[in-house]
Amino acid sequence: MSFMFTVKEGLKGLGRARLATFLTITTVTLALVLIGFFIALFINIDRWVGEKRKSIEIEVFLEPLASEARAQKIAGQLKALPGIEQIKFISKKAAAERFKKEFGQDVEAVLGANPLPPSFVLHLSPAHRNAQAIRSISRNIEKIEGVTEVVYASGALALIDRYTTIIYLILGGLGLVLIVIIIILIHNSIRLIIYARKEIIEIMKLVGATRSFIRRPFLVEGLFYGLVGGMLADGALWAAVYLIRRFIYPQMYMPDAIYGILLALGVTVGFISSQVSVNKHLDSLL
């Protein structure tokens, strides 16, 4: 009986402030949709960057006259380094064939000899595909006897690391701002409902209603704001993702877990903000 009364009173409170309820739920929905987009954008950028990092290679050039035994010894030293996932050896002959394939000319025919040195192409483990880790690996490789040069796309790596960090910070900051906006909106809506029902609260006090009994309907209202906002946000986000995949970017990745996160976030923020509002404004009347 007490539970059903709490729910009914909470819903009645929303009906008494229809405009505030409509505006709050609408704004909460829009904010949660944007948060969902930020999460999806974060995930898709991270996946795209991860694919780009997979193509990053370190090329290790050896002395032009390095023997096969020396190359095998260097290969063993390279494999022992942390972060090295795969090693591919390119002989002088293979280097000349690659040169001919890329530039359309036979280096031996042009120069009369093959000056290209043997080399190793290294692929890194996922945890080491960043500028700082590759710099450290390169310094260790340069210390190996018989290595003449270590080459990798340092500029591209630095740009990827710098701009992805900036983007992640911006998305995280905007997400936090939207969460704060949701908290403030629900807080103010509950405050308005509390003062609109001031006389009813006074009557409930006179007839002996307990503190928790009076508080519960307002908490239900906050939960309702978050729950409905989360459900509407999930629907709007699903429709938006469907349209994006169909007409703009078919490869867009959208984990189903995001919809659950938005719903849980709406309910949690709704409860917390209503709890704060009740503690601040209702307690002054009790």
Side-chain angles (χ1 to χ4, degrees):
M1 181 68 180
S2 176
F3 172 76
M4 292 304 300
F5 175 82
T6 298
V7 173
K8 288 180 180 179
E9 284 300 306
L11 295 178
K12 284 181 182 178
L14 296 171
R16 295 187 186 100
R18 294 178 182 176
L19 180 60
T21 297
F22 173 77
L23 293 175
T24 301
I25 290 177
T26 301
T27 309
V28 168
T29 300
L30 292 174
L32 288 173
V33 168
L34 288 175
I35 291 173
F37 268 120
F38 292 158
I39 296 174
L41 187 59
F42 178 95
I43 292 173
N44 281 271
I45 289 174
D46 193 62
R47 283 167 61 89
W48 180 83
V49 170
E51 290 299 317
K52 295 300 178 185
R53 290 186 190 278
K54 283 183 182 179
S55 63
I56 292 172
E57 301 173 338
I58 297 179
E59 190 156 10
V60 181
F61 292 97
L62 311 183
E63 295 173 347
L65 300 178
S67 65
E68 184 177 344
R70 166 61 68 183
Q72 289 179 353
K73 183 179 179 181
I74 293 173
Q77 292 173 292
L78 292 173
K79 290 178 181 178
L81 294 174
I84 305 301
E85 187 174 68
Q86 185 180 358
I87 293 178
K88 179 183 179 182
F89 178 66
I90 300 176
S91 65
K92 288 174 66 68
K93 182 179 179 181
E97 291 174 354
R98 188 170 69 168
F99 182 91
K100 184 176 181 180
K101 184 178 180 180
E102 291 181 2
F103 299 100
Q105 292 185 329
D106 189 338
V107 67
E108 292 188 27
V110 174
L111 301 177
N114 180 5
L116 300 174
S119 63
F120 288 98
V121 175
L122 312 181
H123 293 271
L124 307 176
S125 61
H128 292 81
R129 294 170 186 164
N130 59 79
Q132 184 177 355
I134 293 179
R135 277 196 299 269
S136 177
I137 292 172
S138 297
R139 284 195 291 267
N140 290 329
I141 293 174
E142 289 169 351
K143 298 175 184 177
I144 297 175
E145 185 179 354
V147 172
T148 59
E149 189 178 8
V150 180
V151 177
Y152 64 93
S154 57
L157 271 173
L159 284 174
I160 289 174
D161 288 348
R162 183 183 306 120
Y163 287 110
T164 51
T165 300
I166 292 172
I167 291 171
Y168 293 161
L169 288 174
I170 290 173
L171 292 177
L174 290 174
L176 288 175
V177 169
L178 289 171
I179 290 174
V180 171
I181 289 173
I182 294 173
I183 291 173
I184 292 173
L185 280 170
I186 296 178
H187 176 279
N188 287 335
S189 295
I190 298 298
R191 177 177 62 85
L192 291 173
I193 293 172
I194 288 173
Y195 286 111
R197 299 172 64 187
K198 184 177 179 180
E199 293 183 0
I200 297 175
I201 293 170
E202 293 290 342
I203 294 172
M204 292 175 72
K205 283 171 58 181
L206 292 174
V207 298
T210 63
R211 178 191 180 93
S212 61
F213 186 82
I214 297 173
R215 287 164 54 93
R216 283 198 295 266
F218 299 105
L219 300 179
V220 169
E221 290 162 12
L223 284 171
F224 182 83
Y225 284 136
L227 178 62
V228 174
M231 293 172 64
L232 292 175
D234 280 350
L237 189 61
W238 182 90
V241 170
Y242 173 81
L243 293 174
I244 290 172
R245 284 174 173 169
R246 181 160 186 175
F247 299 108
I248 302 174
Y249 185 58
Q251 294 80 26
M252 182 178 181
Y253 178 65
M254 187 68 172
D256 292 337
I258 291 181
Y259 300 108
I261 290 171
L262 286 185
L263 189 61
L265 180 63
V267 171
T268 302
V269 172
F271 178 77
I272 291 173
S273 53
S274 61
Q275 182 80 27
V276 172
S277 184
V278 166
N279 289 341
K280 182 177 180 181
H281 301 290
L282 183 61
D283 286 0
S284 62
L285 301 177
L286 296 178

